[in-house]
Amino acid sequence: MKRIATIQDFSCVGRCSLSVALPIISAAGIECCGVPTAALSNHTGFSTYYNRDLTDDLHNFGSKFSELGITFDAIYTGYIASIEQMDFVEDFINRFGRDGAPVFVDPVMGDNGMLYSQITADYAQKIRRLCARADVITPNLTEAFLLLGEDYRESLSDSDICEMLKKLADTGAGAVVITGISKGSQIGCSAYDGAGFHHVFTEKQDLFCMGTGDIFSSAMLAALVREKPFPRALDIAVRFTEEAVKKTAADPDRRFYGVNFEQALPTLIRLMEE
Ligand code: PXL
């Protein structure tokens, strides 16, 4: 069984980061070790939250992994709580990634043209370095513009998107997936894997959901670790995210802060076995 480490925060309430990566990657049949960058009462999209930064603890986790000789088949990073932690993450990849272990970076910084609370311009600058050494990066449109140092725009042609993908790949990442692209009544992602472009779109649901990016990235990376070909991994992630959003839309008690991905896990398991 493959074992991966995912480095991101644990938010008790508001499905995101570790609380979605762990169940999704486990359901995909991969051992998932969550390395928490911070512990939050709830994610930062709420009007208030408590945030305990775990930078010092991260160094202690690392020392124990070294002592125990623990290594991982892949490393996946999400929300990193501070710029200082970025150095830890780079060091973690060098020390604990097995030979050839792929590195997946979801450069979590914002959505809908806005930065999440606590994310600064310096943060965007620093995460570029991490993206440059990644095998796959999965920014949403907002994050893709931040990585390129360009102003956020919404109306983009297919060739604009392809140009963005190429520019991001030129900065060093092996493959680039831009998520959350809207095209009329469709929503989906576009990607460049060094060999060619891929576009996977589906019918948009009439619902705004937070946390779809974390669900998409976890499913995509799990599919790649399960050695699905790149276009198939994209397709699995889009189908799973679509199903989770549909389940959320059908839930009369839904909350603004998360997607009912739990109800879509049977679909993910089926897609992984096909
Ligand atoms: O889903 C992205 C995310 C992850 N982690 C934390 C967040 C957010 C988005 O708001 O606040 C703590």
Side-chain angles (χ1 to χ4, degrees):
M1 197 182 211
K2 294 223 166 127
R3 177 204 287 149
I4 85 161
T6 180
I7 311 175
Q8 42 187 326
D9 68 280
F10 183 78
S11 291
C12 305
V13 176
R15 301 169 174 110
C16 70
S17 306
L18 286 184
S19 56
V20 312
L22 286 161
I24 291 171
I25 294 166
S26 301
I30 298 159
E31 179 187 349
C32 184
C33 303
V35 181
T37 55
L40 290 91
S41 52
N42 46 271
H43 68 56
T44 63
F46 290 77
S47 56
T48 181
Y49 55 88
Y50 171 77
N51 179 15
R52 156 83 70 172
D53 182 288
L54 296 175
T55 307
D56 293 342
D57 304 87
L58 283 176
H59 291 290
N60 293 329
F61 296 159
S63 306
K64 291 296 161 190
F65 291 166
S66 275
E67 234 176 283
L68 294 167
I70 291 170
T71 55
F72 301 97
D73 296 301
I75 294 170
Y76 161 31
T77 75
Y79 182 94
I80 299 166
S82 65
I83 292 182
E84 206 192 329
Q85 287 186 358
M86 228 84 82
D87 295 325
F88 168 83
V89 171
E90 286 198 39
D91 184 52
F92 189 98
I93 294 166
N94 298 335
R95 285 163 70 196
F96 303 115
R98 287 198 185 128
D99 263 358
V103 176
F104 304 115
V105 175
D106 186 5
V108 175
M109 291 185 279
D111 205 359
N112 294 313
M114 312 266 287
L115 291 179
Y116 296 135
S117 154
Q118 299 199 329
I119 306 290
T120 59
D122 297 354
Y123 184 101
Q125 175 69 32
K126 187 97 188 205
I127 209 161
R128 280 188 202 129
R129 226 178 71 186
L130 199 56
C131 287
R133 64 170 301 180
D135 293 277
V136 184
I137 62 171
T138 51
N140 60 28
L141 206 49
T142 305
E143 292 155 350
F145 278 119
L146 282 165
L147 291 174
L148 291 172
E150 295 177 16
D151 290 336
Y152 178 72
R153 292 179 283 136
E154 262 169 18
S155 54
L156 296 158
S157 65
D158 289 350
S159 68
D160 290 336
I161 296 281
C162 290
E163 201 182 307
M164 287 178 78
L165 287 165
K166 275 285 232 179
K167 278 198 267 179
L168 286 168
D170 286 346
T171 64
V176 181
V177 185
I178 301 182
T179 65
I181 302 173
S182 284
K183 260 200 230 173
S185 65
Q186 302 272 104
I187 188 156
C189 64
S190 290
Y192 178 68
D193 62 0
F197 294 100
H198 308 272
H199 309 276
V200 187
F201 281 78
T202 178
E203 214 47 47
K204 202 192 292 186
Q205 302 294 308
D206 187 19
L207 172 81
F208 171 72
C209 285
M210 279 194 73
T212 46
D214 297 0
I215 287 169
F216 177 96
S217 298
S218 301
M220 163 101 203
L221 310 181
L224 289 174
V225 171
R226 287 283 304 264
E227 295 175 7
K228 305 287 181 198
F230 188 85
R232 175 80 187 127
L234 275 182
D235 198 59
I236 289 176
V238 171
R239 302 288 151 242
F240 172 61
T241 309
E242 177 189 22
E243 176 76 359
V245 173
K246 278 189 181 156
K247 294 286 186 198
T248 316
D251 179 356
D253 298 325
R254 66 172 176 266
R255 310 263 158 73
F256 79 96
Y257 50 71
V259 185
N260 292 20
F261 76 90
E262 299 86 346
Q263 293 171 303
L265 287 174
T267 301
L268 179 70
I269 294 168
R270 186 174 48 73
L271 290 168
M272 288 290 172
E273 295 311 325
E274 265 172 15

